[in-house]
Amino acid sequence: MSDKTVITCALNGVLTDPKQHHVPVTPEEMAREAKAAFDAGASVMHIHLRQQAPNKGHLPSWEVGVSREIQQAIREACPGVIINHTTGTSGPNYSGALDCVRETKPEMAACNAGSLNYLKVKSDNTWAWPPMMFDNAVEKVQDYLDVMKDADTIPEFECFDVGIVRCVGMYRQTGMYSGPLEYNFVMGVASGMPADPELLPILLKLKLPEAHWQVTAIGRAEIWPLHQRCADLGGHLRTGLEDTFYQPDGAKVTSNGQLIESIATCARNAGREIASPAEARQIFGIRH
């Protein structure tokens, strides 16, 4: 088990509405929230892009210029920080996501490693949103991996279910990818893996032995035992306003910094130190 824990802050996400929640949208807001998370111990900032026009901040953007401005603002606020860029898209057109990675060359980027029926049912037994497919066919995964290789960007393999974890090994086996391995076990999506700490030992058996790993825990206060178990088992840690708005005691937060302070406590409870940005770069094998 590594003594050092790399903490990732997922600053804003794709679904959170800035009119309802305190999620950052503009470069200035992203930099301010990143600085709060950075000061609390986060070395990696996972970013989503939003449209910058007035009253459009709840909508996603794939403008390369927006990506550049946000990354520059975060880097100026957080010296040495690692950028982890979103790439998640549904449907046949994902050229914007490829362009953002190709043109801005972030140190890391999400690589959704398999498809998922993205579902949720409300308490009245109706769909929370129209049932949708989060489609990540092998050909799409390969397109992302090719662009990331050219950009010298390390993919973070997002795994929403057990079978997707196993797919990552097949990508390695068939030569689709041969670089440093980083798994992200996404737990808490209603139609994916539950946020259950007892699942972690099974997932660790299924990942490739040499790979780094972390957990994205989606939910409310009930997710924090999962974070602690992740820290205890040697995983890296992630939280942020993309994943939750709630502290372990159920209190609602207004800033990413508050969540990072809590997840850093999980690391310390496990007897582990928080990795600096330079140490995180060395752990993940980042070359630029």
Side-chain angles (χ1 to χ4, degrees), residues 220-222 224-225 245-253 259 262:
R220 298 194 175 203
E222 75 279 358
W224 287 94
F245 302 111
Y246 295 93
Q247 295 277 38
D249 63 0
K252 194 171 183 178
V253 301
L259 292 171
S262 293

Side-chain angles (χ1 to χ4, degrees), residues 210-228:
E210 71 273 21
H212 297 287
W213 64 281
Q214 68 175 16
V215 167
T216 290
I218 298 171
R220 298 194 175 203
E222 75 279 358
I223 64 176
W224 287 94
L226 174 58
H227 284 309
Q228 187 60 62

Side-chain angles (χ1 to χ4, degrees), residues 9 11 29-42 45 77-78 254-261:
C9 181
L11 289 168
E29 292 167 349
M30 294 287 281
R32 183 179 66 243
E33 281 293 296
K35 181 67 162 59
F38 189 78
D39 289 346
M45 302 297 161
C78 309
T254 57
S255 171
N256 283 285
Q258 297 164 295
L259 292 171
I260 298 303
E261 288 173 2

Side-chain angles (χ1 to χ4, degrees), residues 6-10 44-48 82-88 106-114 141 144-145 148 153-160 164 168 171 177 180-186 212-216 236-238 242-243 284:
V6 179
I7 296 179
T8 295
C9 181
V44 182
M45 302 297 161
H46 178 62
I47 64 169
H48 286 251
I82 297 165
I83 299 293
N84 181 325
H85 206 293
T86 183
T87 64
E107 291 93 337
M108 303 179 75
C111 184
N112 295 284
V141 174
Y144 280 123
L145 291 175
M148 291 180 198
T153 295
I154 293 176
E156 179 184 81
F157 288 100
E158 314 292 316
C159 300
F160 295 83
I164 300 177
V168 175
Y171 301 153
Y177 179 70
L181 275 175
E182 165 75 16
Y183 289 77
N184 181 21
F185 303 136
V186 183
H212 297 287
W213 64 281
Q214 68 175 16
V215 167
T216 290
H236 299 295
L237 299 173
R238 163 181 154 155
E242 176 176 5
D243 305 336
F284 291 145

